[in-house]
Amino acid sequence: LKDLIEILVQRSAACEGVRKRIINATAIANLDVNNEAFSIIEALLGLEKELRSFINAKKLKFTIKPLKPKKEDVIITDRVKFHDILYNLISNAINFTEKGEITISVSKKEGVFYIKVTDTGIGIPEDKFEYIFKQYTKLARSNRYGAVFKGVGAGLYLARIRAHILNASISVESQLGKGSTFMV
């Protein structure tokens, strides 16, 4: 009985965590920006750990370039909004990549960070690049790829709004059947 109660408590806590994540992921009411300094690479390593079970379930290769935190990778921005933007982009890459890899690359030019999330997934038609950023929109599911896509079509919309709040932008490059790259 003690083991059963312990399992119930753990699963209840997990459900509460999911509930909070859903509310946070779909809410943009908080427009306040709480800037703090943190390592981009350490934040990405945390996201990798958070998403590792999904990456492993699909047997995808996941790479962060450069892998080691350096003094130069410190950014000053809202950590929560930054996390949510990258969580949406990386989880989409996982969702739309059935085999292959996801690569996160970080570079800095003239004081501006560029973060690319690249996958070897199904790709996006060029005429849909802006469409995918609209609220509650999804591309048609194609039996050609045999994949079941989750979500309600709000992730990229919310990621772009959060990026805008942080004075950043999100762009996309993609080829059907070859994958996509989202750049923040």
Side-chain angles (χ1 to χ4, degrees):
L1 184 63
K2 182 180 176 183
D3 291 340
L4 181 59
I5 292 172
E6 189 174 309
I7 290 170
L8 287 172
V9 168
Q10 288 172 350
R11 291 201 178 150
S12 293
C15 287
E16 179 63 15
V18 169
R19 185 189 71 79
K20 285 181 181 177
R21 182 121 189 94
I22 289 169
I23 290 169
N24 183 46
T26 58
I28 54 169
N30 183 3
L31 299 178
D32 294 336
V33 176
N34 300 309
N35 287 334
E36 63 180 289
F38 60 93
S39 162
I40 291 176
I41 301 301
E42 287 178 7
L44 290 171
L45 290 170
L47 280 162
E48 177 186 13
K49 184 177 180 183
E50 191 176 340
L51 293 165
R52 178 49 62 191
S53 63
F54 300 110
I55 296 165
N56 289 345
K58 294 181 106 175
K59 298 179 179 148
L60 299 172
K61 180 179 177 187
F62 189 90
T63 307
I64 300 173
K65 296 179 182 179
L67 181 59
K68 295 182 181 178
K70 300 176 186 173
K71 291 179 186 176
E72 299 87 37
D73 87 322
V74 173
I75 189 171
I76 299 173
T77 192
D78 188 303
R79 184 188 296 257
V80 172
K81 287 177 181 59
F82 177 88
H83 172 276
D84 291 343
I85 291 165
L86 272 297
Y87 184 93
N88 279 324
L89 296 180
I90 296 168
S91 61
N92 272 1
I94 295 167
N95 192 29
F96 291 99
T97 304
E98 291 305 311
K99 62 181 179 177
E101 64 185 298
I102 297 166
T103 303
I104 315 300
S105 60
V106 180
S107 61
K108 186 176 183 180
K109 294 178 187 168
E110 299 178 14
V112 177
F113 285 101
Y114 297 89
I115 303 167
K116 290 183 180 181
V117 177
T118 303
D119 65 59
T120 57
I122 64 171
I124 304 162
E126 189 173 345
D127 65 334
K128 301 295 184 190
F129 285 3
E130 282 305 311
Y131 175 80
I132 60 173
F133 288 102
K134 297 192 183 306
Q135 189 173 18
Y136 304 121
T137 58
K138 296 168 83 171
L139 295 178
R141 297 177 183 173
S142 172
N143 289 335
R144 179 173 135 197
Y145 298 108
V148 177
F149 305 130
K150 303 170 194 152
V152 295
L156 290 175
Y157 168 77
L158 293 170
R160 188 172 257 185
I161 286 178
R162 287 184 177 111
H164 181 73
I165 291 168
L166 299 179
N167 294 316
S169 62
I170 299 177
S171 60
V172 62
E173 296 175 359
S174 186
Q175 286 187 313
L176 278 176
K178 294 189 177 183
S180 302
T181 297
F182 285 84
M183 184 165 64
V184 181

